[in-house]
Amino acid sequence: MSELSLETKCIHLDRHAIATDENGAFGAQKAHYGAVSFPIFQTATFAHDMYGNSTGFDYSRVQNPTREHLEKMIANLEGGVDCVALSCGMAAISLVMELFSIGDHIIADSDLYGGATRLFDAVSAKNGLKFTRADCSKDDIDSLFLSETKAVYIESPTNPMMRVSDIRSIAQKAHAHGALLIVDNTFLTPYFQNPLSLGADIVVHSGTKYLSGHNDTLAGFVVTSIADISERLRYLFKTTGAVLSPFDSWLVLRGLKTLALRMERAEENAKKIARFLESSADVVRVIYPGLESHSGFSLMKAQSRGFGAMISFYAKSAEHARRILTSVRLIQFAESLGGVESLITYPVTQTHAEVPASLREANGITDCLLRLSVGIENAEDLISDLSSALSAAGKE
């Protein structure tokens, strides 16, 4: 049997990724009574029938069958050798930072999710790591590498300014200096982009977002293409303990089954909404990589299979932006992204509130900026809601 397509891999674990019996049957299906929905192994520990004879599982902090199945699914989708599933996206980033030691230097994109910036400034720096920030979508980072540089950390596209970085080129530069490339792939998911295939060494995800897709659980993932890093991550994973529970693992497994459909529909909606916003006199500027006016449009086409469903745009003033937030009806004013429901976020007071003001301003995160996570509702309904909200906000 040939390797499965991405759409099918979201539902079925590829035969190449798991052991089969002599007849080629799925071992998991045989062990779980043919259950179509992978079972939830809601147990903290596992019994052994005798000394030296293990079932393969000992304690759920170390591994659990439900979490293991999910990890294999994500690793297979990203093209990695291993994946570890954690309690949230920040736990995933925190685990990656544990790979480094006092004095190590990391080049980090200046435009990142606010929680990542907070972690680097408040925790990682306290633990002895050093950071240099750069706009990795356009800055020449060659001069930023030091003898102690161990990694480059980027998002592409970034949150919330949607900057697109050349993953392949940055990977080559990092490797030439003996450093790793770490990519947060939350916005595009493995359905639209595979950073490991472009040369990245580690991929992180907030599985809370598109991978789960229903705003009903928190999850985080770290995927690597390097066996040595996998071994180190596994050791740190069981030691620090921020693992994903069996039930939450099952929720993400359920969400993955519709990942392809959700990503396609959300992107289709986003393209229509971005064009609508671009044509609106009440919107100053629209930032969406799927618009040809975006500076990263061509690069995105070259390294990704889609543009995603995240849009940022500038209102005419801070007051106008806040009135839009109170005027939307179908679209909900909330943090987070990637669910079936469309959400609108005010980065300056929500996702990026604790980013230093000088850095926010340098990145263009002003009190006029709004971020839109486009869901899978009818696009015309969403456009109608935005049109009414823009109109109402403009009259007040």
Side-chain angles (χ1 to χ4, degrees):
M1 182 178 178
S2 60
E3 186 172 355
L4 301 178
S5 66
L6 271 172
E7 293 88 344
T8 304
K9 283 182 179 180
C10 291
I11 301 171
H12 301 284
L13 186 55
D14 197 331
R15 288 178 184 268
H16 293 83
I18 62 173
T20 57
D21 64 18
E22 64 276 9
N23 298 315
F26 282 98
Q29 184 178 13
K30 190 174 181 180
H32 307 137
Y33 309 101
V36 174
S37 176
F38 196 90
I40 305 170
F41 287 83
Q42 193 64 46
T43 181
T45 192
F46 300 84
H48 310 294
D49 58 3
M50 66 178 69
Y51 175 77
N53 189 16
S54 172
T55 62
F57 298 93
D58 300 303
Y59 190 61
S60 278
R61 173 166 47 80
V62 179
Q63 191 52 289
N64 176 282
T66 313
R67 189 171 70 238
E68 180 185 65
H69 188 70
L70 173 61
E71 289 172 343
K72 287 182 177 179
M73 291 282 288
I74 300 296
N76 199 221
L77 286 168
E78 279 289 14
V81 299
D82 194 15
C83 167
V84 291
L86 296 107
S87 57
C88 66
M90 287 309 304
I93 301 172
S94 297
L95 183 72
V96 171
M97 290 300 107
E98 292 296 334
L99 292 170
F100 306 109
S101 303
I102 294 174
D104 285 350
H105 174 248
I106 297 170
I107 300 169
D109 200 294
S110 58
D111 184 36
L112 298 173
Y113 166 57
T117 299
R118 182 176 63 237
L119 174 74
F120 297 165
D121 288 354
V123 180
S124 300
K126 170 184 69 69
N127 293 339
L129 302 187
K130 297 180 292 184
F131 293 85
T132 298
R133 292 192 173 100
D135 179 352
C136 294
S137 69
K138 65 179 182 181
D139 291 350
D140 182 3
I141 64 171
D142 277 321
S143 62
L144 302 180
F145 285 92
L146 308 173
S147 59
E148 58 267 34
T149 303
K150 295 297 188 292
V152 180
Y153 185 101
I154 67 170
E155 297 170 356
S156 185
T158 60
N159 179 5
M161 300 310 297
M162 310 299 165
R163 298 172 183 165
V164 180
S165 294
D166 189 331
I167 296 173
R168 183 176 282 107
S169 174
I170 294 173
Q172 291 171 350
K173 291 177 181 180
H175 296 161
H177 289 87
L180 302 172
L181 174 59
I182 305 161
V183 180
D184 185 327
N185 199 31
T186 298
F187 272 18
L188 292 187
T189 82
Y191 184 71
F192 278 147
Q193 180 172 267
N194 296 114
L196 297 179
S197 70
L198 298 169
D201 304 288
I202 297 173
V203 169
V204 298
H205 286 277
S206 173
T208 308
K209 312 307 193 291
Y210 289 105
L211 295 178
S212 174
H214 293 79
N215 287 320
D216 57 9
T217 189
L218 301 178
F221 299 98
V222 182
V223 189
T224 184
S225 58
I226 301 173
D228 177 61
I229 292 177
S230 165
E231 184 177 345
R232 292 163 63 195
L233 285 170
R234 284 284 166 192
Y235 179 80
L236 291 166
F237 178 70
K238 71 178 181 180
T239 302
T240 54
V243 303
L244 193 62
S245 74
F247 184 67
D248 289 320
S249 296
W250 181 83
L251 285 173
V252 182
L253 280 170
R254 184 180 64 168
L256 277 179
K257 292 183 178 182
T258 57
L259 178 65
L261 297 172
R262 289 186 287 104
M263 295 303 292
E264 292 284 357
R265 176 58 177 265
E267 183 190 55
E268 179 185 341
N269 284 351
K271 289 178 178 178
K272 293 177 181 178
I273 291 169
R275 287 193 288 268
F276 160 75
L277 291 172
E278 199 173 40
S279 69
S280 173
D282 292 310
V283 174
V284 174
R285 179 189 171 202
V286 182
I287 312 172
Y288 175 61
L291 292 173
E292 292 189 10
S293 57
H294 192 286
S295 60
F297 177 80
S298 296
L299 176 57
M300 197 86 156
K301 285 187 70 175
Q303 69 183 16
S304 308
R305 292 178 294 275
F307 298 100
M310 297 299 300
I311 302 171
S312 290
F313 65 97
Y314 287 96
K316 292 184 289 188
S317 67
E319 293 75 17
H320 188 225
R322 292 164 188 160
R323 290 198 295 265
I324 291 170
L325 293 172
T326 60
S327 299
V328 287
R329 295 292 177 264
L330 180 62
I331 299 168
Q332 298 174 80
F333 173 27
E335 290 194 50
S336 200
L337 59 103
V340 293
E341 305 91 353
S342 294
L343 303 178
I344 192 165
T345 300
Y346 198 36
V348 74
T349 63
Q350 291 182 305
T351 56
H352 292 70
E354 294 181 50
V355 172
S358 59
L359 181 57
R360 282 202 313 265
E361 292 165 8
N363 285 333
I365 304 172
T366 71
D367 52 11
C368 297
L369 183 73
L370 297 169
R371 192 192 71 185
L372 185 62
S373 170
V374 180
I376 66 170
E377 303 96 336
N378 180 279
E380 296 308 315
D381 291 337
L382 296 172
I383 290 172
S384 176
D385 189 36
L386 283 168
S387 179
S388 296
L390 289 167
S391 177
K395 292 176 182 177
E396 292 183 26

